[in-house]
Amino acid sequence: MARIDLRGLGHTYSNGVEAVKNVDLAVDDGEFLVLVGPSGCGKSTILRMVAGLEAATVGEILIDSTLVNDVPPQDRDLAMVFQNYALYPHLSVYDNMSYGLKVRRLDSETIDERVRRAAATLGLDEVLDRKPKTLSGGQRQRVAMGRAIVRQPRAFLMDEPLSNLDAKLRVDMRAEIARLQRDLRITTLYVTHDQVEALTLGERVAVLKDGVLQQVDSPEVLYQRPANVFVAEFIGSPPMNLVNGTLELDEDRLTARVGGRSLHVGSAAIARHPRATSMVGREVIIGMRPEHLHLSPAGRDAAPSLLATVDLDENIGSERLLYFTLRDEQGAPVAASERVSDLDEGLERLSDSFVAKLHGHEAVSYGASRSANGTVQIHAEADQLHFFDPETTEAL
Amino acid sequence: MAVQRSVGGRIGMSLVVAMIVVFCLAPVGLLVLTSIKSPADLSSTGFWPRQPTVSNFVEVFGNSTFLRGLLNSGIVVSVSTLIAIVFGALGAYALARLQFRGKVAILLLSLSVITFPGIAIVTPLFRIWLDVGLYDTRIGLIIPYVALVVPLVLFILTSFFREIPAEIFEAAYLDGASRARVLRDMFLPLSGPGIASAGLLVFVILWHEFLLAVTLTATPAGRTAPVALSLFTGRTNVLEVPTGAIAAASIVITVPIIVVVLVFQRRIVSGLTTGSTAG
């Protein structure tokens, strides 16, 4: 059990690339903290620095308040699960799991007891005598987990441990890792590029971009109050719709104007964005999550809404994804705000279009909402709007 | 992977394979036949020996110069291979795993030695060896042999070591193993197949090396087996070619290579590292 503190941590590779910049981060004793960000954001480098496999160029790494910058990896008492598992190919599953204990000269009874208990937990009893090459991908992943668990280390370091599994197995193992960590209460630093994994596993999630920490918070806060445009885009699937608009006061009510149309701004949204009121009359980036967009009934202009033409309609049973182009009153397209991230979510094909996620009744009755000329009217939940400064991309 | 072929295709394929096997093994078969022919059979035009005999082998094993050559070959080639593997492996480990300046230059420079024509160094080496007293000695052969094959070992093992995922060693470090333990528990077992292949290749190359051996030796004291074989003459007349004995000696020379291949190939388990990683 341990607390990990990173202070002003930075890493510059020999080719001059500054992979990690001035990262301050604390992982509490027993906490599950997830480092998430797109590939190349420096998250693995941070993990490798904590492990001792990479030296910190600047800054301090403390484990239980002890500076470990110069402590070699074998003396840090951490266990790491590698993305490619890195099992010992010439050793049996049993020997793979017991190696770290043998090196530490534990007596063979303790070793045997710990290995068998971990094997039972992970469903590896049957394969203890097998070599890694005879195992399936999922079993190899379990052996890698088992090798970490039996050590009872001060902390787990996990580097994208699920990224090589197929989708179904990934969901199963995700639940299993969550359960194991909850049972063992061992401090865990977990790296992933998958925001769903980050939100489901992490007690707190640290979002990283270009080596710079963007926001560290609980999954709920990251989703509800993203600190900047990057976090807003990165957290949530499909990603938040972002469009440039202006904030205006309409009879003392704050309104967002987009493409000549107006949207109400709810009090909860204003509470989350206190600086929004000072931006009245100025351009801002308006963020709307797909799940907070709804179809307005056809033919009526009652509620404030946006005009749109649907480009693609994906019905996935319980919900329906509408990819649409926003239109102004004259029917000209309104461009989305420039994305700050390269999202590998498969949405890039329609990166200039917006997306709405319809649920239940709305998803079923979609056809009825279409008007004769193919346009639909879409409104956002007034309390769920987000506002960002177009200069700094910070939340208002 | 296993593409289903038509019956005709499979027959055609088998024919081609059979032809290649015959083509490769025919000279060896001919050699075996010749080695058991009596002088009478050798002078006749018959293909099969009418009176098979082991007299050629008896003669070869009675030839002390040739036996001495076998002994010399055994010592020179084994020692050279051992030294080349030890130094080559150390160098390859550095080239594959450590970070330092001039890695590429070192590898290219050593590779250029492989392409260097041996004939170009024979005469100067002969002179120098005469002067320093290494002429016609085993050490006089071991030194150039090691120099000749170390680049090859370096080349083979560097690429082999690079193939071993670094994460395996990193995992062992995190498991608490010291550098020495990682070397013993992980690196050596995992690099076994690579070292075995390199050793095998080097042994075979050096076993039939002739140019340096014939130039740098003069007496049975230093001669290796291939050189001794080339000097076979008739018992009564030096101009008589003892075909049967040469054939028998050639087979005797080949046997150690076959033995070495059989011993080492058990260690050459391709893809020993499979299973370590996810892919």
Side-chain angles (χ1 to χ4, degrees):
Chain A
M1 298 290 160
R3 174 189 165 84
I4 299 171
D5 282 288
L6 310 180
R7 292 181 189 160
L9 192 63
H11 187 85
T12 308
Y13 282 102
S14 51
N15 60 9
V17 174
E18 207 179 343
V20 178
K21 295 168 198 160
N22 195 24
V23 165
D24 288 300
L25 186 64
V27 192
D28 279 331
D29 191 5
E31 185 183 28
F32 197 132
L33 188 131
V34 178
L35 274 173
V36 69
S39 55
C41 71
K43 54 195 189 300
S44 286
T45 308
I46 293 179
L47 198 73
R48 290 175 60 82
M49 283 192 283
V50 174
L53 298 170
E54 212 79 64
T57 316
V58 292
E60 296 178 332
I61 301 164
L62 295 97
I63 300 177
D64 276 340
S65 311
T66 312
L67 188 69
V68 296
N69 282 42
D70 297 323
V71 177
Q74 52 264 46
D75 297 329
R76 293 194 186 187
D77 194 18
L78 306 170
M80 184 154 168
V81 179
F82 291 82
Q83 180 171 12
N84 65 10
Y85 314 149
L87 303 180
Y88 309 133
H90 55 305
L91 301 181
S92 67
V93 169
Y94 186 96
D95 290 337
N96 260 280
M97 285 165 64
S98 62
Y99 183 73
L101 304 178
K102 277 188 194 136
V103 168
R104 275 157 216 275
R105 297 175 190 280
L106 267 70
D107 65 276
S108 55
E109 272 170 41
T110 315
I111 293 178
D112 195 62
E113 195 250 312
R114 282 205 207 169
V115 170
R116 295 200 184 276
R117 186 145 40 96
T121 315
L122 293 163
L124 292 169
D125 320 66
E126 305 292 317
V127 298
L128 280 175
D129 296 327
R130 304 240 306 254
K131 290 277 174 65
K133 68 176 163 214
T134 66
L135 303 179
S136 69
Q139 285 172 321
R140 288 179 198 177
Q141 210 282 334
R142 281 159 191 273
V143 175
M145 289 292 301
R147 189 168 65 180
I149 291 170
V150 294
R151 284 264 317 280
Q152 303 182 357
R154 293 203 285 180
F156 287 141
L157 307 175
M158 304 200 189
D159 190 2
E160 309 232 10
L162 304 181
S163 60
N164 281 315
L165 299 177
D166 60 54
K168 164 98 174 61
L169 216 49
R170 188 151 60 219
V171 174
D172 291 350
M173 271 316 284
R174 198 168 73 199
E176 192 151 330
I177 287 178
R179 181 178 60 80
L180 277 171
Q181 205 276 340
R182 211 171 39 239
D183 293 349
L184 301 169
R185 284 322 304 174
I186 290 180
T187 312
T188 303
L189 189 54
Y190 185 107
V191 161
T192 179
H193 66 274
D194 180 348
Q195 53 95 17
V196 177
E197 219 169 282
L199 296 182
T200 48
L201 284 173
E203 286 170 69
R204 282 193 306 150
V205 176
V207 183
L208 208 66
K209 179 201 169 211
D210 299 334
V212 179
L213 216 46
Q214 305 290 311
Q215 189 175 3
V216 188
D217 254 312
S218 68
E220 293 74 24
V221 173
L222 285 183
Y223 177 82
Q224 284 163 9
R225 306 174 62 175
N228 57 37
V229 171
F230 177 80
V231 177
E233 273 183 5
F234 196 80
I235 300 295
S237 175
M240 185 186 280
N241 300 296
L242 295 162
V243 64
N244 285 44
T246 49
L247 284 174
E248 283 170 14
L249 272 181
D250 184 12
E251 296 167 7
D252 275 1
R253 284 192 69 170
L254 196 62
T255 337
R257 282 189 74 79
V258 178
R261 292 284 196 131
S262 299
L263 291 172
H264 284 321
V265 179
S267 52
I270 297 172
R272 267 186 287 117
H273 297 280
R275 290 198 292 134
T277 45
S278 64
M279 292 291 277
V280 169
R282 312 241 301 269
E283 189 170 77
V284 295
I285 296 174
I286 301 166
M288 302 167 284
R289 292 206 180 271
E291 49 274 37
H292 299 142
L293 292 179
H294 303 281
L295 290 173
S296 310
R300 277 191 293 149
D301 258 347
S305 58
L306 305 171
L307 284 177
T309 50
V310 174
D311 304 317
L312 182 67
D313 161 23
E314 285 182 343
N315 189 352
I316 44 176
S318 63
E319 53 195 35
R320 188 165 205 142
L321 294 180
L322 290 187
Y323 297 85
F324 61 89
T325 306
L326 215 50
R327 304 277 173 185
D328 65 16
E329 298 286 6
Q330 284 73 44
V334 180
S337 297
E338 218 168 289
R339 294 210 172 278
V340 293
S341 61
D342 299 324
L343 295 173
D344 47 3
E345 295 275 340
L347 292 166
E348 289 225 79
R349 57 201 162 100
L350 291 160
S351 61
D352 218 31
S353 84
F354 297 86
V355 58
K357 194 195 242 176
L358 307 180
H359 294 273
H361 173 70
E362 248 187 336
V364 178
S365 64
Y366 157 64
S369 312
R370 295 180 82 157
S371 72
N373 60 4
T375 58
V376 290
Q377 299 199 41
I378 289 174
H379 66 272
E381 292 174 28
D383 282 336
Q384 300 292 351
L385 291 175
H386 298 263
F387 303 105
F388 303 94
D389 186 329
E391 301 288 323
T392 63
T393 77
E394 297 294 317
L396 291 172
Chain B
M1 268 192 282
V3 179
Q4 193 63 42
R5 287 198 189 83
S6 67
V7 176
R10 267 180 286 173
I11 290 174
M13 190 65 168
S14 309
L15 276 176
V16 172
V17 170
M19 276 166 64
I20 293 173
V21 169
V22 168
F23 185 80
C24 293
L25 289 183
V28 180
L30 219 54
L31 203 62
V32 172
L33 282 181
T34 309
S35 73
I36 55 171
K37 278 180 177 176
S38 62
D41 281 335
L42 281 168
S43 53
S44 83
T45 54
F47 184 73
W48 300 103
R50 267 166 298 171
Q51 301 152 310
T53 171
V54 293
S55 67
N56 291 320
F57 287 94
V58 172
E59 185 187 336
V60 165
F61 282 109
N63 183 330
S64 65
T65 309
F66 180 70
L67 291 182
R68 187 71 198 256
L70 271 183
L71 179 71
N72 285 337
S73 269
I75 293 172
V76 167
V77 173
S78 305
V79 172
S80 303
T81 303
L82 201 69
I83 296 175
I85 289 293
V86 169
F87 283 99
L90 292 174
Y93 178 80
L95 287 173
R97 284 270 170 257
L98 307 183
Q99 299 290 332
F100 58 91
R101 275 170 188 277
K103 268 165 68 163
V104 179
I106 290 174
L107 199 57
L108 288 180
L109 202 67
S110 76
L111 274 179
S112 69
V113 175
I114 295 180
T115 63
F116 205 70
I119 195 80
I121 60 161
V122 160
T123 311
L125 205 56
F126 170 74
R127 288 278 173 187
I128 298 168
W129 264 206
L130 269 183
D131 288 348
V132 300
L134 285 174
Y135 183 69
D136 203 25
T137 62
R138 288 174 189 152
I139 295 181
L141 276 181
I142 290 174
I143 293 172
Y145 277 7
V146 169
L148 201 67
V149 295
V150 157
L152 196 64
V153 176
L154 212 54
F155 183 64
I156 295 173
L157 289 186
T158 302
S159 49
F160 185 86
F161 290 167
R162 277 191 188 139
E163 294 290 307
I164 305 176
E167 287 91 345
I168 293 177
F169 307 124
E170 293 177 347
Y173 286 131
L174 277 155
D175 258 350
S178 62
R179 263 183 190 278
R181 273 212 78 151
V182 172
L183 189 75
R184 194 192 80 191
D185 295 347
M186 302 295 152
F187 189 75
L188 285 182
L190 292 178
S191 52
I195 289 175
S197 335
L200 180 65
L201 194 66
V202 164
F203 190 91
V204 171
I205 287 175
L206 292 183
W207 185 259
H208 66 233
E209 202 285 331
F210 184 73
L211 181 64
L212 286 167
V214 78
T215 317
L216 300 179
T217 60
T219 68
R223 275 181 199 141
T224 57
V227 179
L229 175 61
S230 75
L231 296 175
F232 263 34
T233 53
R235 257 162 304 178
T236 49
N237 178 353
V238 290
L239 295 178
E240 178 200 331
V241 179
T243 314
I246 290 177
S250 298
I251 286 165
V252 171
I253 281 186
T254 313
V255 168
I257 293 188
I258 293 173
V259 169
V260 168
V261 169
L262 289 181
V263 168
F264 273 70
Q265 82 162 7
R266 301 179 62 99
R267 300 275 308 136
I268 308 172
V269 189
S270 67
L272 191 72
T273 56
T274 51
S276 164
T277 56

